[in-house]
């Protein structure tokens, strides 16, 4: 598995670049990288572990880009990132006992709900709105909860963080995107260390894809900062719906199995 052919590594690099671009704007990069690794013949558990390694480069790269342009203060947001990481550690540890098929069955409908929220709520733009939850409560409740979800399952984490920052913290959509990336970085670190201790991280593949993620995230975050809500909002809707469709179309999707479809 460490000696994949050059064309397979190039394929994974390209998939990671595209994932980094999309993820830095609207989340959902995992719906590109995870299938790409499975197509390349990487076993599922190694795919999950390696995906967390390469995701660190994308979320870290986007966080740095947004911070450099003043859209997020990483030092001030560090407590949130640590809570996200703690939640992800717990989630990754619980992954073996939590019925993941229940999460997978519900997830497409949650993603469709997020798409409808961002698609039809007219006043979501780049300006901040009224905060519904204090910084402290948001940090100790919502953030670790989504981090835990990322550790247990993962797809759609960025969309859930975005929803929280916009609807609960009152952030404009560009500011929400910038803050989401650092929390994604935190949850990726937490889950990554659990997978690392389990010995399921493929370093050569993960680092190759990590370079692609880093570069894609740099391009994507700059594009998002240039276009603002005009690109982030529609792409978030498209990515959420695309991920929902992909999950619903999977022959292994739990509801299809339970209903015999």
């Amino acid at each position: 598995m460490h000696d994949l052919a050059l064309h397979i590594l190039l394929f994974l690099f390209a998939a990671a670049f595209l994932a980094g671009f999309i993820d830095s704007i609207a989340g959902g990069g995992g719906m590109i990288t995870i299938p790409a690794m499975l197509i390349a013949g990487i076993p599922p558990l190694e795919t999950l572990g390696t995906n967390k390694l390469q995701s660190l480069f994308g979320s870290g790269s986007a966080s740095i880009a947004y911070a450099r342009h003043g859209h997020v203060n990483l030092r001030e947001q560090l407590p949130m990132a640590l809570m996200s990481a703690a939640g992800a550690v717990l989630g990754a540890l619980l992954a073996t006992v939590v019925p993941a098929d229940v999460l997978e069955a519900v997830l497409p409908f949650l993603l469709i709900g997020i798409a409808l929220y961002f698609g039809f709520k007219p006043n979501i733009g780049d300006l901040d709105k009224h905060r519904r939850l204090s910084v402290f409560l948001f940090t100790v409740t919502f953030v670790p909860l989504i981090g835990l979800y990322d550790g247990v399952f993962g797809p759609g984490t960025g969309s859930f963080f975005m929803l929280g920052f916009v609807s609960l913290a009152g952030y404009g959509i560009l500011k929400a995107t910038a803050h989401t990336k650092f929390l994604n970085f935190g949850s990726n670190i937490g889950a990554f260390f659990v997978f690392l201790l389990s010995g399921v991280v493929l370093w050569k593949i993960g680092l190759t894809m990590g370079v692609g993620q880093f570069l894609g995230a740099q391009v994507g975050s700059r594009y998002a900062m240039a276009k603002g809500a005009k690109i982030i909002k529609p792409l978030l809707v498209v990515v959420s719906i695309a991920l929902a469709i992909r999950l619903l179309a999977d022959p292994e999707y739990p509801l299809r199995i339970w209903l015999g479809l």
Side-chain angles (χ1 to χ4, degrees):
M1 187 56 61
H2 292 275
D3 298 319
L4 288 178
L6 178 60
H7 71 280
I8 298 295
L9 285 176
L10 289 175
F11 163 70
L12 293 174
F13 174 88
F17 180 91
L18 179 60
F21 178 87
I22 292 175
D23 200 71
S24 66
I25 301 173
M31 76 175 184
I32 297 173
T33 54
I34 289 178
M37 283 189 275
L38 293 174
I39 290 171
I42 301 172
L45 191 56
E46 282 75 7
T47 290
L48 294 176
T50 306
N51 185 62
K52 286 303 178 187
L53 170 60
Q54 61 93 36
S55 294
L56 285 173
F57 288 83
S59 55
S61 173
S63 296
I64 292 170
Y66 286 121
R68 282 179 175 172
H69 289 81
H71 295 290
V72 58
N73 186 318
L74 298 184
R75 182 173 296 178
E76 290 181 359
Q77 204 195 7
L78 184 59
M80 283 190 189
L82 292 175
M83 291 299 292
S84 180
V89 169
L90 180 58
L93 292 173
L94 290 175
T96 56
V97 296
V98 171
D101 55 342
V102 175
L103 290 173
E104 189 176 352
V106 173
L107 180 60
F109 303 101
L110 294 177
L111 289 168
I112 291 171
I114 289 173
L116 292 174
Y117 177 84
F118 282 100
F120 290 101
K121 193 170 177 59
N123 61 343
I124 296 179
D126 289 323
L127 298 178
D128 290 356
K129 303 292 183 181
H130 174 67
R131 172 182 287 277
R132 292 183 173 87
L133 206 62
S134 70
V135 174
F136 176 77
L137 284 178
F138 187 81
T139 301
V140 299
T141 57
F142 182 82
V143 171
L145 179 64
I146 303 302
L148 185 144
Y149 165 78
D150 193 21
V152 172
F153 194 55
T157 299
S159 299
F160 293 134
F161 274 136
M162 283 282 290
L163 180 64
F165 275 121
V166 170
S167 62
L168 299 178
Y171 286 6
I173 201 163
L174 178 58
K175 184 177 179 181
T177 300
H179 284 70
T180 289
K181 292 304 104 186
F182 197 41
L183 297 194
N184 264 149
F185 182 74
S187 64
N188 284 336
I189 283 183
F192 168 70
F193 276 114
V194 175
F195 284 119
L196 180 63
L197 293 175
S198 301
V200 293
V201 176
L202 304 179
W203 286 93
K204 179 179 179 181
I205 296 169
L207 293 176
T208 298
M209 296 181 72
V211 174
Q213 275 268 3
F214 185 92
L215 296 174
Q218 286 291 307
V219 175
S221 56
R222 281 166 170 73
Y223 187 64
M225 286 183 281
K227 300 295 184 180
K230 289 186 294 184
I231 182 63
I232 297 173
K233 185 175 175 180
L235 189 56
L236 179 62
V237 171
V238 170
V239 167
S240 296
I241 291 176
L243 182 52
I245 291 173
R246 177 182 168 272
L247 291 168
L248 290 169
D250 188 346
E252 299 300 317
Y253 175 60
L255 274 183
R256 296 185 65 175
I257 295 175
W258 298 339
L259 297 174
L261 300 176

